[in-house]
Amino acid sequence: MSNSPLLEVVNLRKSFATLEVLKGVDFTILPQELVFIIGPSGSGKSTMLRCCNLLEEPTAGSVLFKGQEISKPNVDIDTIRQHIGMVFQSFNLYPHMTALQNITLALRKVKKIPTSESQDRAMSALEQVGLAEKHDSHPNQLSGGQQQRVAIARSIAMEPDVMLFDEPTSALDPELVGGVLNVMHKLRNDGMTMIVVSHEMRFAQEAADRVLFVDGGLIIEQNTPEEIFNNPQNQRTREFLSRVSDH
Amino acid sequence: MDLELLRFNFFNIDSVINVYPLILKGLWMTIKLCLLVGPIGFISGMTLAGVYSLHIRSLNWFLMVYVDFFRSVPPLVLLIYVYYGLPFFGIEIPAFLAVLISFTLNSSSYYGEVVRAGIESIPAGQMEAARSSGLSRTQAMIYVILPQALRNVAPDLISNTVELIKATSIASVVALPELLRMARVGQDLEYNATPLVAAALIYLIMLWPVVRLLSRLERRMMSSH
Amino acid sequence: MDAFAEEFLNWEVMVKYFPDIVAGLWVTMGLALMVIVSGLILGLVLAVIRAFQIRPINLLIIAFVDIFRSLPPLVIIILLYFSIPMFGLNWSGFICSWIALSLVLASFVEEIYWAGITSVHKGQWEAARSTGLSFFETLIYVVLPQVIRMTIPPLTNRTIVIAKNTALASVVAVQEMLTVAQTSLAYAANSSPLTLAALGYLMMFLPLVILSRYIESRFAWKR
Ligand SMILES: Nc1ncnc2c1ncn2[C@@H]1O[C@H](COP(=O)(O)OP(=O)(O)O)[C@@H](O)[C@H]1O
Ligand SMILES: [Mg+2]
């Protein structure tokens, strides 16, 4: 395992009009790490994640991917983004395409892989998430959990270096959460680098290498899951964790 | 291209000054026409839709044929049929009445379609709730269903009305002295296209704000689909 | 009743003027098809340009679209027909009607597509962009296919309304079906040619109106 960081965020700030959402955030992601981000709603977790692939443009600070500063204006962001997968809370599958077409679109148009080969790759991605038999279904014929697994397959088919997950299970009925988490577990075991924003604390304890606690646009505390959950150092972390464990 | 010639022919203040009484007379006629045809068309359309909602099979079939027929024939064809066709049959009618008849047939069909769609967009539970509280069918229609239905299709109703106002310009073909007709008379008198430009500007001033409003409404409607 | 038939459904008159009306029908159909094709294409192109959100260009598009939706088509046709010689051009009534109606249709089509584009959920853009698709590729492969589907009902309705306006070309001496019917009516002193023309319009547009009814129920995007 090489130790040069895959992703580095340095003094990241982001404001929407007058609202300062990120107030100077620094973190580093090493290859094959699974980093969990927790924190209250509205604390800036999604914004942090979306700055990593420039869906949001940072107001100040920089984002480095494999040592290259990608937050500079003249970077061709489309070529970078194919190496950074993203999975959304609301799946965002393309409703007019089948599961297979959802996956092959970027393979064909961005990676310029010929149609038949991209179909093979899409099928194997669908197999990884256990939905090969649904390749011909449209999103509205799939359950929420299945849709999210297809969305994950859409990302992994691009063979990204790192994947960003923004609350991938929050929109799902409880009984569908497990299937998605299983897929994420498998990905982690295969050595995928992952940054996960989620409230699934059990999953964090089992799978995360590190947990960042975010509040008010700042990283308040970061540590191994054991330390964060059993021995939180900061008052705000303790309060947050006690509130979540009430549920 | 000669700019001075262009100005002289299209933006000639003198010729507007000469013919503005004509233009105003035309505008007044257009307004009268709209104030008459609009409400008549709208009310007949609502009536058609109300009858349709009774779901009487044979009647609905007839209504559908009526509506589709008048949506298929261009309004100008209808107007010419009424104005030039009927006299051969011994029925001589003035241009104004011919316009009124053909426009009512046409616009009631369009309004009818819109209101019908509006009524069908209201869940059946609304009628059931109203009827179970003792309202008659007609009362439920008037006080419960129609207000919601009309609100749901407000953009289409406004759009229909804009189309109707614009369509009154075809009355110029049967020499009814409305805005476009008077502008063309002015154009012939002055040997100059400025009166026509003036009429266009008047249409623009009347309808542009409504068209702008419509854009907003339609976008909002589609976003909440 | 006999007098009615004699006047409006006179077999002899109909047979006599049938070939002329059919010739007019072809002109009407040609004009309508040309208007539909160029109007739909131009409207789509304008909406795509507008999606790039370049302010001065957008203002121009909005102004164009608003003007052509506010003016009566007949006013536009007549204005174009009388002004075009001033620019040293010698366009026929047919060309003027084609251009005028195409611009009108394009304006409505642009508005409909644009409303569709703005109504596609932001997440669709983000998902596509996060896989590395460019703005334009996202528009073409992800957004527009959804837009076209949900805008089919309003597009069909609008297209029918404007295609019917080809009858207005009769005012600028185009030998389309209504013009021919009116001339024949004068010669024959009988309304039957108009009946034929009305049948011609029904033949052209009734199937479309019925189709639009079917589409409306299939693709219902309204509420
Ligand atoms: N596009 C935006 N425009 C304005 N405010 C935004 C936007 N996106 C997020 N915000 C605001 O930024 C804050 C942080 O949002 P977010 O990063 O989504 O928080 P989290 O994911 O932790 O719940 C919130 O107050 C939210 O309202
Ligand atoms: Mg969030």
Side-chain angles (χ1 to χ4, degrees):
Chain A
M1 182 152 109
S2 124
N3 268 345
S4 61
L6 199 53
L7 198 72
E8 268 179 286
V9 167
V10 184
N11 193 25
L12 176 68
R13 288 169 186 276
K14 173 69 185 178
S15 303
F16 294 108
T18 58
L19 177 71
E20 193 176 28
V21 174
L22 298 181
K23 302 172 179 166
V25 169
D26 298 82
F27 62 85
T28 302
I29 309 290
L30 297 176
Q32 308 207 332
E33 257 195 315
L34 193 162
V35 175
F36 227 81
I37 302 178
I38 59 172
S41 153
S43 56
K45 305 180 299 293
S46 295
T47 309
M48 233 161 92
L49 211 58
R50 292 154 59 86
C51 281
C52 292
N53 67 351
L54 274 291
L55 276 185
E56 301 290 356
E57 214 164 301
T59 314
S62 43
V63 180
L64 283 80
F65 176 69
K66 290 182 163 177
Q68 183 195 359
E69 182 173 349
I70 60 172
S71 48
K72 282 193 303 205
N74 53 356
V75 173
D76 178 7
I77 192 62
D78 294 334
T79 56
I80 305 293
R81 280 187 180 138
Q82 56 177 305
H83 303 293
I84 308 179
M86 186 162 206
V87 175
F88 300 83
Q89 180 175 351
S90 51
F91 331 134
N92 296 343
L93 289 182
Y94 314 133
H96 59 300
M97 296 181 180
T98 63
L100 195 77
Q101 290 166 335
N102 261 277
I103 300 170
T104 55
L105 180 66
L107 293 178
R108 288 185 296 123
K109 301 300 172 187
V110 179
K111 286 207 188 291
K112 314 279 183 211
I113 297 173
T115 306
S116 68
E117 193 191 332
S118 62
Q119 280 174 349
D120 293 344
R121 279 175 72 159
M123 278 312 288
S124 82
L126 279 173
E127 267 157 34
Q128 281 189 60
V129 300
L131 286 174
E133 79 280 10
K134 295 286 186 190
H135 67 275
D136 237 357
S137 304
H138 280 265
N140 62 5
Q141 298 165 318
L142 300 172
S143 74
Q146 291 172 330
Q147 287 188 51
Q148 191 61 298
R149 278 146 69 194
V150 173
I152 293 174
R154 178 170 69 180
S155 272
I156 59 183
M158 296 292 285
E159 299 181 341
D161 297 312
V162 53
M163 286 177 72
L164 316 173
F165 291 81
D166 191 357
E167 306 207 23
T169 56
S170 308
L172 299 178
D173 293 335
E175 76 271 21
L176 300 177
V177 169
V180 171
L181 292 183
N182 275 343
V183 168
M184 290 170 68
H185 246 300
K186 267 209 319 222
L187 268 176
R188 188 224 169 358
N189 293 340
D190 294 346
M192 175 61 76
T193 312
M194 298 157 78
I195 310 179
V196 180
V197 173
S198 168
H199 298 294
E200 301 291 338
M201 300 300 171
R202 270 258 301 285
F203 182 65
Q205 274 171 327
E206 287 166 14
D209 295 300
R210 246 188 318 149
V211 178
L212 312 188
F213 172 67
V214 177
D215 195 7
L218 288 167
I219 297 178
I220 304 293
E221 187 172 351
Q222 57 171 308
N223 217 325
T224 59
E226 296 79 47
E227 284 297 309
I228 285 274
F229 290 119
N230 302 324
N231 186 20
Q233 300 299 306
N234 191 291
Q235 178 61 26
R236 278 148 84 181
T237 318
R238 280 197 288 275
E239 279 169 16
F240 173 73
L241 287 173
S242 71
R243 253 184 294 141
V244 201
S245 58
D246 282 350
H247 294 222
Chain B
M1 197 180 74
D2 188 340
L3 274 182
E4 178 50 31
L5 193 67
L6 186 76
R7 193 203 60 76
F8 181 83
N9 277 295
F10 288 93
F11 303 97
N12 191 323
I13 303 294
D14 292 336
S15 75
V16 170
I17 291 173
N18 290 341
V19 302
Y20 88 87
L22 273 183
I23 303 265
L24 283 185
K25 228 181 96 195
L27 174 61
W28 178 227
M29 178 57 98
T30 290
I31 292 174
K32 271 197 295 194
L33 204 53
C34 292
L35 288 181
L36 216 54
V37 176
I40 293 179
F42 179 53
I43 290 170
S44 355
M46 270 208 298
T47 312
L48 289 181
V51 173
Y52 191 92
S53 75
L54 295 176
H55 294 299
I56 301 167
R57 241 192 131 80
S58 51
L59 204 55
N60 281 11
W61 199 85
F62 171 80
L63 287 177
M64 206 122 96
V65 171
Y66 172 91
V67 165
D68 284 357
F69 180 87
F70 288 111
R71 289 205 304 166
S72 302
V73 178
L76 180 57
V77 174
L78 207 56
L79 175 59
I80 288 185
Y81 210 108
V82 172
Y83 187 68
Y84 291 112
L86 287 182
F88 287 116
F89 193 46
I91 307 172
E92 195 89 37
I93 52 175
F96 191 83
L97 191 59
V99 171
L100 212 58
I101 293 172
S102 56
F103 273 50
T104 301
L105 291 173
N106 183 265
S107 67
S108 62
S109 302
Y110 275 94
Y111 279 120
E113 249 325 89
V114 171
V115 178
R116 182 186 65 78
I119 292 175
E120 283 175 3
S121 75
I122 307 298
Q126 291 292 312
M127 179 57 94
E128 287 164 7
R131 293 303 299 276
S132 68
S133 74
L135 293 180
S136 74
R137 219 202 127 77
T138 314
Q139 282 173 322
M141 202 61 185
I142 291 174
Y143 298 114
V144 179
I145 306 296
L146 271 182
Q148 301 182 60
L150 295 184
R151 181 146 3 118
N152 277 358
V153 291
D156 291 344
L157 287 176
I158 300 174
S159 158
N160 245 338
T161 308
V162 170
E163 291 308 306
L164 179 63
I165 295 172
K166 293 195 300 189
T168 57
S169 63
I170 68 173
S172 62
V173 176
V174 294
L176 186 79
E178 49 65 73
L179 185 53
L180 177 57
R181 178 72 206 172
M182 288 288 106
R184 295 200 65 184
V185 171
Q187 179 192 9
D188 289 345
L189 286 177
E190 291 291 309
Y191 213 69
N192 187 301
T194 310
L196 216 51
V197 174
L201 279 178
I202 292 176
Y203 280 114
L204 208 56
I205 291 167
M206 285 196 301
L207 294 178
W208 182 73
V210 191
V211 164
R212 202 84 291 284
L213 171 78
L214 263 179
S215 287
R216 282 158 186 274
L217 290 179
E218 276 162 0
R219 211 165 306 150
R220 192 165 336 136
M221 281 284 162
M222 210 177 283
S223 298
S224 64
H225 69 274
Chain C
M1 208 58 216
D2 272 357
F4 179 85
E6 169 75 22
E7 180 51 44
F8 290 100
L9 296 166
N10 191 312
W11 185 248
E12 239 168 81
V13 176
M14 286 212 211
V15 169
K16 180 160 178 218
Y17 290 98
F18 185 75
D20 292 351
I21 301 280
V22 169
L25 176 73
W26 287 122
V27 177
T28 295
M29 264 185 174
L31 182 56
L33 278 179
M34 284 168 67
V35 167
I36 292 172
V37 170
S38 48
L40 287 177
I41 292 175
L42 180 61
L44 180 61
V45 169
L46 286 176
V48 167
I49 294 176
R50 190 165 170 190
F52 282 88
Q53 302 273 32
I54 303 161
R55 216 176 145 70
I57 294 180
N58 274 15
L59 288 178
L60 277 180
I61 293 177
I62 294 170
F64 164 80
V65 162
D66 277 7
I67 289 174
F68 280 88
R69 292 194 307 155
S70 301
L71 289 179
L74 183 55
V75 172
I76 300 172
I77 292 175
I78 291 176
L79 213 53
L80 189 63
Y81 187 67
F82 284 110
S83 61
I84 215 67
M86 212 62 68
F87 297 91
L89 297 168
N90 185 18
W91 290 353
S92 65
F94 185 90
I95 302 274
C96 289
S97 306
W98 170 53
I99 291 177
L101 293 177
S102 298
L103 295 180
V104 172
L105 180 57
S107 301
F108 280 99
V109 168
E110 191 278 338
E111 269 303 299
I112 293 171
Y113 276 141
W114 179 245
I117 289 174
T118 56
S119 75
V120 170
H121 196 272
K122 193 165 127 263
Q124 294 289 312
W125 286 95
E126 292 178 346
R129 294 305 301 275
S130 77
T131 60
L133 289 172
S134 69
F135 177 89
F136 191 67
E137 286 168 332
T138 305
L139 187 66
I140 297 294
Y141 299 118
V142 176
V143 176
L144 281 184
Q146 300 180 45
V147 167
I148 287 172
R149 188 187 157 86
M150 81 176 127
T151 52
I152 281 177
L155 279 179
T156 0
N157 286 335
R158 187 55 65 180
T159 303
I160 294 171
V161 168
I162 289 167
K164 280 190 334 189
N165 276 336
T166 51
L168 299 179
S170 60
V171 175
V172 289
V174 177
Q175 290 300 309
E176 49 69 76
M177 194 158 49
L178 181 59
T179 311
V180 175
Q182 276 185 272
T183 320
S184 316
L185 169 135
Y187 279 128
N190 182 292
S191 300
S192 304
L194 258 179
T195 307
L196 267 185
L199 286 176
Y201 282 107
L202 277 179
M203 210 183 68
M204 275 173 65
F205 290 111
L206 195 56
L208 289 178
V209 167
I210 292 170
L211 177 75
S212 80
R213 211 181 258 293
Y214 168 76
I215 286 173
E216 193 104 28
S217 58
R218 267 298 306 274
F219 293 71
W221 54 272
K222 271 178 201 157
R223 301 157 279 278

